[in-house]
Amino acid sequence: MASEITMITLPPPAVDQAYIDVSALEAGHLRVPLDFIVAGSAPTDFMKCPSLAFSLSHSKNHTRLVFDLGVRRDLEAYPPSVQSFLNKTILVDVKQDVAESLVKGGLPPEQVDAVIVSHLHWDHVGDPTPFTKAKFLVGGACRDILTSGYPVNSESGILANSIPVERAQFLTAFEFCTSIGPFPRAFDYFGDGSMYIIDAPGHLPGHVVVFARTSADGAWILLGGDAAHDFRLITGEKEVAYSVDVCGHVTCAHVDKEIAVDTIRRIGMLLKIPRVQVLIAHDYVWYETNKGGPAFLPGVIPPL
């Protein structure tokens, strides 16, 4: 693996290179059993973490995007299976949702041009209704998940109206036609090398992440969604939790652990490249260091 890492390079900036200003958004908080996330954790260990979302702004054309929508305030709007799961397993606290965070930062949700949703889990889809003009971008596999979502399937944990399908772009191999760094399937969204949407499989079908330049001279950030739920999985300090009970029930945060681990490995390669930040949705260490500070809208996460 070491030899593979040394071969990883990123495209150098062009003359007058466009880039993306990235700002964190408050989007709710969770208390999650750590043994669901990190192998070897005790049943009494819990992770108190954010469910971060992000505001993205193109440096030249000033297109405004949002990556993920966090947790919605009205938990009763989630499917019954999610509400039952929350009552038994996870504590949720939403002092400020994404729309409120945007307004507080000076950007009304109706002025957002596009929303990129990493995947369709309840703590990332939030409430799409304030984004009245935005196009929604999701992985192609999300189409089938929505079609069989709640209430069509009463047992589904995915709302069929998680996103406005009439304004959605379902990204397929046609869009994921280039590669960048360790990622073989990438979509150069603006066509100028400023921001890539990356096919990042393993967690849930259709899972995507964002890889963006944060300066004109070579800084980058990877917004990893739920590719990993604890940063120590990316550094290799810990392993993904996985267990099978006597009835054959699998407990894992990812639909396909092997593929998820490969995605995590690829993201980890970025840590060896100068001036690249990696930030996942539930990074409690980053949050505790930066909460209430200039990394949150209207401020900008400083480039390395």
Side-chain angles (χ1 to χ4, degrees):
M1 181 171 160
S3 60
E4 185 177 2
I5 290 174
T6 59
M7 295 171 59
I8 296 298
T9 59
L10 298 175
V15 176
D16 198 23
Q17 174 67 58
Y19 59 92
I20 307 294
D21 284 323
V22 180
S23 308
L25 299 169
E26 291 280 1
H29 295 261
L30 315 174
R31 182 176 180 267
V32 184
L34 198 57
D35 63 352
F36 185 61
I37 303 297
V38 176
S41 301
T44 54
D45 292 338
F46 289 86
M47 179 175 73
K48 295 180 181 179
C49 62
S51 188
L52 291 168
F54 301 91
S55 169
L56 313 172
S57 178
H58 191 276
S59 64
K60 293 185 178 296
N61 61 33
H62 306 295
T63 297
R64 301 304 297 260
L65 307 94
V66 170
F67 179 58
D68 274 348
L69 296 181
V71 186
R72 60 190 303 154
R73 276 191 177 278
D74 53 338
L75 301 182
E76 64 275 8
Y78 287 122
S81 62
V82 170
Q83 295 185 49
S84 176
F85 174 68
L86 297 182
N87 289 334
K88 295 177 182 177
T89 310
I90 294 180
L91 296 179
V92 178
D93 181 24
V94 185
K95 290 185 173 64
Q96 190 170 290
D97 66 16
V98 165
E100 292 165 339
S101 295
L102 288 168
V103 170
K104 183 178 179 180
L107 177 61
E110 60 270 21
Q111 293 182 12
V112 171
D113 298 296
V115 176
I116 305 166
V117 178
S118 65
H119 64 295
L120 295 177
H121 277 154
W122 61 273
D123 56 327
H124 294 262
V125 296
D127 179 3
T129 55
F131 300 87
T132 54
K133 298 179 181 178
K135 175 172 68 174
F136 280 69
L137 296 106
V138 293
C142 291
R143 188 189 296 274
D144 289 341
I145 298 176
L146 291 170
T147 301
S148 59
Y150 180 86
V152 175
N153 176 3
S154 62
E155 301 299 317
S156 175
I158 306 296
L159 284 170
N161 64 349
S162 292
I163 62 171
V165 175
E166 69 280 3
R167 285 187 276 127
Q169 180 178 358
F170 295 89
L171 305 175
T172 66
F174 178 81
E175 286 80 22
F176 294 125
C177 60
T178 190
S179 62
I180 182 169
F183 307 112
R185 295 176 298 280
F187 172 30
D188 184 353
Y189 182 73
F190 290 106
D192 60 6
S194 63
M195 188 188 84
Y196 297 82
I197 302 176
I198 306 293
D199 181 21
H203 177 61
L204 190 74
H207 187 271
V208 297
V209 302
V210 167
F211 192 35
R213 296 182 187 270
T214 52
S215 75
D217 64 350
W220 295 80
I221 193 168
L222 187 285
L223 304 176
D226 271 4
H229 297 82
D230 188 300
F231 199 77
R232 295 172 296 175
L233 301 172
I234 297 173
T235 62
E237 298 169 69
K238 297 291 183 178
E239 295 183 357
V240 172
Y242 182 88
S243 63
V244 183
D245 65 21
V246 293
C247 297
H249 298 135
V250 174
T251 300
C252 184
H254 304 285
V255 168
D256 191 314
K257 176 180 178 274
E258 289 188 8
I259 294 178
V261 167
D262 181 66
T263 294
I264 292 169
R265 179 184 65 85
R266 292 178 186 276
I267 292 174
M269 293 178 183
L270 297 176
L271 301 180
K272 301 294 184 180
I273 304 176
R275 305 191 68 193
V276 178
Q277 299 181 70
V278 174
L279 184 51
I280 52 178
H282 304 301
D283 193 333
Y284 52 89
V285 175
W286 184 91
Y287 180 79
E288 288 301 318
T289 302
N290 291 277
K291 63 182 178 181
F296 284 77
L297 197 70
V300 174
I301 297 173
L304 294 180

